[in-house]
Amino acid sequence: MTGQPTNDPRVLTLAEGDNIVVLKSTIQAGERILLCGQEVFVPHTLGLGHKLAAEDIPAGQDIIKYGFPIGFAAADIPLGGHVHVHNLTSRYTQVEVME
Amino acid sequence: MTTMMAWPRKDGRKGIRNVVLVAYLVECAHHVCKQIARPFPDGDVQVVGFSGCFPSDYGQDMMAALCTHPNVGAVQLVSLGCENFKKTQLAEVIRASGRPVDIITIQDVGGTGPAVKAGRDWIKQTHAHIMAQPKVEMAVSELVIGTICGGSDATSGITGNPAAGVAFDMLVQEGATCIFEETGELIGCEHVMADRVADEALRPAIIASVDKAAKYYDAMGYGSFSNGNATGGLSTIEEKSLGAYAKSGQSKIAGILRPAQTAPAGGLYLLDVVPDGPPKYGYPNINDNAEIIELISCGAHAVIFVTGRGSVVGSAISPVLKVCANPETYDRMSGDMDVNAGRILDGGTTLQDVGAEIVEKLVALGQGQTTASEDLGHVEFVLTYKTAAPAEPGCHPN
């Protein structure tokens, strides 16, 4: 939303103060994309709606989306790292992934 | 805004549909109802009912609210004969509302064959009668609109839900009644929500309703977070909640409603679907359709359904307008969708424009237009046991 020219056009910043960006379309495994002016490597294919860290996020810090916390980092997450159930923990109901 | 034409009801409300309901009062009468309705178009005659044989105040309240819904013109009640439903009481409520009503008791009329024939004969006559009633003008301020999201993914919170929120703001400004739910999906944003109350007295009730939902779902062993949500990029209940919360828009919250209660005046209302007291009959609502029916029980003329991964459902009684948040899903399932909110992601349009399109399509439902789910014959209906809601006079001022 802030229209930073330093980001890949496929990512979206939803609100000021967010420490994650959201994918608007798929990014393929192995791509190097621009995020906050830095080139980051994306090791896995990630679909629309997935989140990447917009800064280095230390373990325990809140993950901010829409300007509000959506949980906390369960591990250190580097800039460009995929933020999802493996490293983002709810402060409410535990998520159970059932395949 | 453009005028709609609708059927006037005795209580002052108006219907944008004029449906004959065929209502089973126990599951044993369900098949007879389906047979009665079979020769008629889905839009004219729809089957609803309460399956349980044990008494239920909630089932009784819900059936009374649904059978006297403004979109309903007449009701054929079908009883097996030995169930514990207060059918005479329900028939009296419907009759007092000015609607034609009839009871068929299968055991008394001689079984399936005679019951089906009696039902079809009554409906043929009654449908012609109610369709002959003149329609009157209806203003946007008289609309009651509900909203839910289902099959959510991360696009729901980026495009579809905020666009539904814009539509709600426009409708509330026109004086319409807008209802959002579901407190189990608002866990994590109760304090943000409490800051929006129209009346300070409402603040603790808002926080208590979400707190109650969190405890209830915890006791059930699960939150309202499914594997499909995670595949779509959502990671936590708070993240999903903030995305779901966006569909309520920015208006002040005028009050809290419970199932089968109508709003006292226009404005934005939170529907609290979680029963009070200890968990008793399982999940508050077992699926999206049970939620849709509760919104309709509060008088919703139509329901905005925002979906990311792609739901196909509609509902008995009121049209369900499908807003697709994900452009990839829209391309795959466009025949089931009414609004393509996902085009916001391509920069092709704005939230404001999609919100306005939603309002325009809702108003068109009162001008002879139909939704995709209506055209496809979707008339889903789910109603199960729940603890009846007490009246909460403190929660909706006016």
Side-chain angles (χ1 to χ4, degrees):
Chain A
M1 247 30 118
T2 47
Q4 295 163 346
T6 51
N7 276 345
D8 188 284
R10 289 169 293 179
V11 308
L12 181 67
T13 304
L14 285 168
E16 205 120 332
D18 285 6
N19 55 9
I20 55 96
V21 294
V22 175
L23 302 198
K24 288 160 76 175
S25 60
T26 302
I27 292 178
Q28 298 297 333
E31 280 195 59
R32 291 180 179 281
I33 67 160
L34 201 60
L35 202 57
C36 305
Q38 291 188 48
E39 199 180 71
V40 299
F41 179 69
V42 181
H44 306 288
T45 298
L46 296 175
L48 184 154
H50 282 259
K51 298 177 290 296
L52 298 178
E55 59 188 48
D56 292 329
I57 305 172
Q61 188 171 307
D62 280 346
I63 306 292
I64 311 289
K65 182 181 177 186
Y66 303 109
F68 298 104
I70 59 167
F72 63 91
D76 291 341
I77 310 172
L79 169 75
H82 183 209
V83 179
H84 200 20
V85 289
H86 62 288
N87 58 11
L88 164 52
T89 303
S90 170
R91 293 192 188 277
Y92 286 82
T93 320
Q94 291 294 317
V95 173
E96 200 163 321
V97 175
M98 291 174 286
E99 288 285 4
Chain B
M1 259 183 223
T2 334
T3 311
M4 299 175 285
M5 297 302 289
W7 283 274
R9 309 299 180 197
K10 196 175 160 186
D11 61 6
R13 294 188 289 174
K14 293 169 187 170
I16 61 168
R17 295 291 180 271
N18 204 19
V19 173
V20 178
L21 292 183
V22 190
Y24 53 92
L25 305 180
V26 64
E27 183 59 25
C28 316
H30 193 163
H31 174 76
V32 166
C33 290
K34 284 199 280 190
Q35 289 299 315
I36 290 172
R38 189 175 292 258
F40 304 100
D42 297 315
D44 293 347
V45 178
Q46 296 168 358
V47 176
V48 303
F50 187 71
S51 285
C53 190
F54 294 97
S56 168
D57 289 339
Y58 168 78
Q60 198 84 32
D61 290 349
M62 285 292 288
M63 288 301 288
L66 295 169
C67 290
T68 58
H69 186 282
N71 287 351
V72 172
V75 185
Q76 172 69 75
L77 300 174
V78 183
S79 155
L80 176 63
C82 46
E83 72 273 14
N84 282 296
F85 200 97
K86 296 173 191 155
K87 61 185 171 192
T88 317
Q89 182 185 309
L90 176 59
E92 277 316 309
V93 169
I94 300 167
R95 189 168 294 119
S97 79
R99 290 169 175 81
V101 57
D102 182 57
I103 304 180
I104 293 169
T105 302
I106 299 170
Q107 289 165 350
D108 291 350
V109 299
T112 301
V116 171
K117 187 182 179 310
R120 287 180 184 173
D121 289 349
W122 187 81
I123 286 171
K124 247 176 247 166
Q125 219 175 27
T126 308
H127 185 249
H129 168 72
I130 63 169
M131 291 311 283
Q133 306 296 312
K135 288 202 260 190
V136 298
E137 286 190 357
M138 179 176 182
V140 172
S141 62
E142 294 174 279
L143 273 177
V144 180
I145 303 295
T147 183
I148 83 154
C149 50
S152 298
D153 66 16
T155 66
S156 305
I158 300 170
T159 66
N161 290 341
V166 169
F168 259 29
D169 288 343
M170 295 171 76
L171 288 164
V172 167
Q173 200 146 23
E174 291 278 332
T177 301
C178 292
I179 309 169
F180 73 109
E181 39 103 55
E182 194 265 350
T183 44
E185 293 175 355
L186 298 171
I187 296 165
C189 47
E190 57 268 34
H191 293 282
V192 186
M193 186 157 60
D195 287 339
R196 278 172 63 196
V197 291
D199 182 328
E200 273 304 309
L202 203 54
R203 180 185 291 272
I206 295 269
I207 291 176
S209 71
V210 178
D211 193 44
K212 178 179 68 168
K215 289 199 176 84
Y216 203 104
Y217 282 104
D218 197 44
M220 294 290 106
Y222 289 107
S224 76
F225 195 91
S226 73
N227 188 43
N229 296 141
T231 310
L234 292 178
S235 310
T236 63
I237 184 75
E238 300 98 296
E239 179 180 17
K240 183 179 172 181
S241 293
L242 284 165
Y245 176 64
K247 66 189 186 299
S248 65
Q250 308 285 327
S251 310
K252 292 283 182 195
I253 300 171
I256 297 176
L257 297 176
R258 307 301 297 271
Q261 293 179 354
T262 48
L268 177 68
Y269 292 83
L270 171 67
L271 170 58
D272 175 11
V273 304
V274 179
D276 296 341
K280 200 169 173 186
Y281 299 108
Y283 293 99
N285 279 327
I286 60 171
N287 53 35
D288 292 336
N289 276 99
E291 289 176 22
I292 291 171
I293 285 302
E294 287 195 335
L295 286 165
I296 294 172
S297 78
C298 297
H301 293 96
V303 174
I304 303 168
F305 189 133
V306 179
T307 185
R309 293 179 61 81
S311 172
V312 300
V313 302
S315 183
I317 301 173
S318 295
V320 174
L321 190 83
K322 218 72 81 13
V323 175
C324 189
N326 186 326
E328 295 169 11
T329 304
Y330 185 85
D331 287 344
R332 221 172 30 247
M333 300 175 65
S334 60
D336 284 283
M337 303 301 164
D338 296 288
V339 176
N340 177 11
R343 65 189 201 277
I344 292 167
L345 291 178
D346 316 331
T349 188
T350 63
L351 280 173
Q352 281 299 325
D353 287 344
V354 176
E357 183 188 338
I358 293 171
V359 172
E360 202 176 292
K361 288 193 167 158
L362 288 169
V363 171
L365 295 175
Q367 298 167 329
Q369 297 296 307
T370 51
T371 62
S373 54
E374 284 182 294
D375 295 342
L376 292 164
H378 283 284
V379 283
E380 285 87 345
F381 183 86
V382 175
L383 178 59
T384 57
Y385 280 94
K386 189 183 268 197
T387 306
E392 288 174 34
C395 284
H396 33 88
N398 298 309

